[in-house]
Amino acid sequence: MPVSDDAAPATEGRPKAAPPWTGRGRAVTVTVLVVASAVVVFLDKVLLGLVATPMSDELHLDAADFGTLASASYALFGVTCLAAGFTAQRVSPRLLLMVCGLLWAVGQLPAVFAVTGGMLYGSRLLVGAAEGPASPLAVTSLYSWYPNERRGVPTAWYTSGAAIAKIALAPVLTLVIVTFGWRAGFVTVSVLALVWSLGWLAAGRIGPYGAPSRPAPAPAGAQGPDRPASVPWRTALVNRTFLGCLIAQLTQSALAAVIFTWLPSYFHHALGYSELTAGSLLGLPSVGGIVALFTAGFTADRLVRRGVGSRRARGVLGGSVLACAGLVLTLLPWIQHPIVSIGILMLGYGGSVSLNTFTNPVLAEIVPPHQRSAILGVLNGLGVSAGAVSPIVSGMLLDASDTPQRGYTLTFFCFGALVAFGGLCFALMVDPERDGRHARSLPSL
């Protein structure tokens, strides 16, 4: 259930008078829109790979040019993620997310009319900068409609947006590109982003578990929900819970970048599938991810509602899931059968994807509502940095191996072990109740 009158956590007081748009229907509408934002963002990420060959042929781009173009999407990702996260303490996350959506739409247009690689680079730079803040702003808006003990499943829905895009919509986008040309792909994503922005403008709202972007000043010495206390940022960011989340996020981001970069090649060169079949199999790990996301989210929420502390319900459970997922991947060097190898990838990578259903809710516990977007922005901005390095490291491992099979399995073994280490750190370090109490005991900003 979304909003529950009897389930608001002590650290998140309900407003004295609930706004007229509160209720289950509005919560579901906002959830659908937030998930749709993830679908649009991931479709844009998939788009560049789908148009790689025809676009490179027409504009005479070599592999180095295309690699530079692909990296442009991440050039400003972390910077804008951090900047928008902190800006959302004073400007409504709803408004900022709508601006991001409009930039997703406008940013595709230079690519539609591109006659040089420079125009494409500018397009990817703008779109990537606008996509950076999407996750913290979307999650902040989503959590404003759900109490602490009911945030796992909504997080699973949001995170599954990428899988929905890959499984359901990427084939449709491929058909559009094949039928009408590569520029039509950018037009399609632009139109979808514009439609989403209009939908968000019409129905997107901040719910009763959120906070006003500019809290009304209260009389000196007054306390209450109209003047939420701010946790000092040094305390919010330098504690075992945040550091445990960051370590886990770094390891999972490193694995995800390796999967996105090398999985089709692994299916083709190591497992022996044709290129067409390898492309068709690309969505299978995402199926495992969807199952893991909803299982983890439902289980964690149920434990919290039953009175189990967040340290065990989210910290220990989340760390255990991540560690087991990593250990499963380390089995690949000893697996010879292609079907079993794919099953291992579905379990290992799919299990690791569930991390967001644990990290986002625990960080939301240690700061008040108006600081959520900022702390989630810091986590995302720093967490994606590993994804810029891991494809390079994995490429070195592949080049140093005598056979493709050995190179790919060694790569998955190493990054699986890294993910297992991240899960161990998460399980041992994360305790939002402890760190939240400590943060609230200090003088506010």
Side-chain angles (χ1 to χ4, degrees):
M1 289 177 58
V3 179
S4 173
D5 290 337
D6 59 354
T11 57
E12 301 176 36
R14 291 288 300 271
K16 292 180 181 179
W21 54 76
T22 58
R24 181 181 179 87
R26 178 67 71 174
V28 171
T29 299
V30 170
T31 302
V32 170
L33 286 169
V34 165
V35 173
S37 74
V39 171
V40 173
V41 167
F42 192 81
L43 267 183
D44 174 75
K45 295 182 184 298
V46 171
L47 173 62
L48 199 60
L50 295 178
V51 302
T53 300
M55 184 178 70
S56 297
D57 290 343
E58 180 177 331
L59 299 181
H60 308 292
L61 303 176
D62 58 23
D65 293 332
F66 186 79
T68 302
L69 183 63
S71 68
S73 298
Y74 297 94
L76 298 176
F77 192 98
V79 174
T80 56
C81 189
L82 292 169
F86 283 97
T87 302
Q89 294 182 92
R90 296 189 174 277
V91 180
S92 171
R94 170 180 176 264
L95 176 61
L96 291 175
L97 190 56
M98 186 184 70
V99 171
C100 288
L102 292 173
L103 290 176
W104 302 338
V106 174
Q108 308 293 340
L109 298 181
V112 175
F113 302 103
V115 293
T116 65
M119 295 178 69
L120 287 171
Y121 190 88
S123 172
R124 302 320 299 165
L125 200 65
L126 176 59
V127 174
E131 288 175 351
S135 180
L137 293 174
V139 171
T140 298
S141 303
L142 183 65
Y143 283 4
S144 72
W145 287 96
Y146 297 88
N148 176 50
E149 67 275 12
R150 296 187 184 275
R151 288 176 179 157
V153 173
T155 306
W157 273 111
Y158 173 70
T159 308
S160 68
I164 294 171
K166 184 186 295 184
I167 297 170
L169 295 183
V172 178
L173 188 59
T174 302
L175 181 61
V176 170
I177 293 168
V178 170
T179 305
F180 300 103
W182 64 268
R183 297 177 192 272
F186 289 97
V187 173
T188 302
V189 174
S190 178
V191 170
L192 289 175
L194 180 60
V195 170
W196 179 87
S197 300
L198 295 176
W200 183 251
L201 175 64
R205 296 292 187 275
I206 300 300
Y209 293 97
S213 56
R214 288 182 178 271
Q223 301 292 328
D226 292 333
R227 191 177 185 177
S230 295
V231 172
W233 280 111
R234 180 175 180 179
T235 304
L237 301 178
V238 185
N239 60 72
R240 293 180 66 186
T241 293
F242 181 83
L243 294 177
C245 289
L246 179 58
I247 293 171
Q249 186 75 32
L250 286 167
T251 62
Q252 203 283 325
S253 295
L255 173 64
V258 170
I259 292 291
F260 291 150
T261 304
W262 300 113
L263 192 59
S265 298
Y266 169 68
F267 287 153
H268 178 54
H269 296 294
L271 299 187
Y273 292 104
S274 67
E275 292 186 3
L276 180 60
T277 303
S280 301
L281 294 173
L282 188 59
L284 284 180
S286 296
V287 175
I290 291 176
V291 174
L293 280 167
F294 285 99
T295 302
F298 176 81
T299 302
D301 283 356
R302 186 175 181 86
L303 289 172
V304 174
R305 288 198 299 270
R306 289 187 171 185
V308 178
S310 284
R311 165 168 164 67
R312 288 190 295 160
R314 287 172 175 153
V316 175
L317 177 61
S320 300
V321 171
L322 189 63
C324 289
L327 292 175
V328 166
L329 288 174
T330 63
L331 299 176
L332 274 175
W334 293 275
I335 304 298
Q336 303 298 323
H337 198 285
I339 299 298
V340 179
S341 297
I342 293 174
I344 291 293
L345 281 169
M346 290 180 66
L347 288 173
Y349 174 70
S352 75
V353 170
S354 67
L355 178 65
N356 283 345
T357 62
F358 301 107
T359 55
N360 290 340
V362 299
L363 291 182
E365 287 188 60
I366 64 177
V367 295
H370 65 282
Q371 289 182 282
R372 281 183 199 145
S373 60
I375 196 168
L376 293 174
V378 173
L379 178 69
N380 282 271
L382 297 178
V384 297
S385 60
V389 178
S390 60
I392 300 174
V393 175
S394 57
M396 295 170 62
L397 291 173
L398 288 169
D399 287 340
S401 301
D402 51 0
T403 65
Q405 172 75 21
R406 183 176 178 82
Y408 286 114
T409 55
L410 176 61
T411 296
F412 289 128
F413 175 87
C414 292
F415 283 95
L418 185 66
V419 167
F421 171 75
L424 180 63
C425 291
F426 192 85
L428 295 177
M429 297 174 69
V430 169
D431 188 346
E433 294 154 328
R434 174 201 62 207
D435 292 326
R437 284 195 303 268
H438 174 68
R440 289 187 293 273
S441 69
L442 299 175
S444 63
L445 294 176

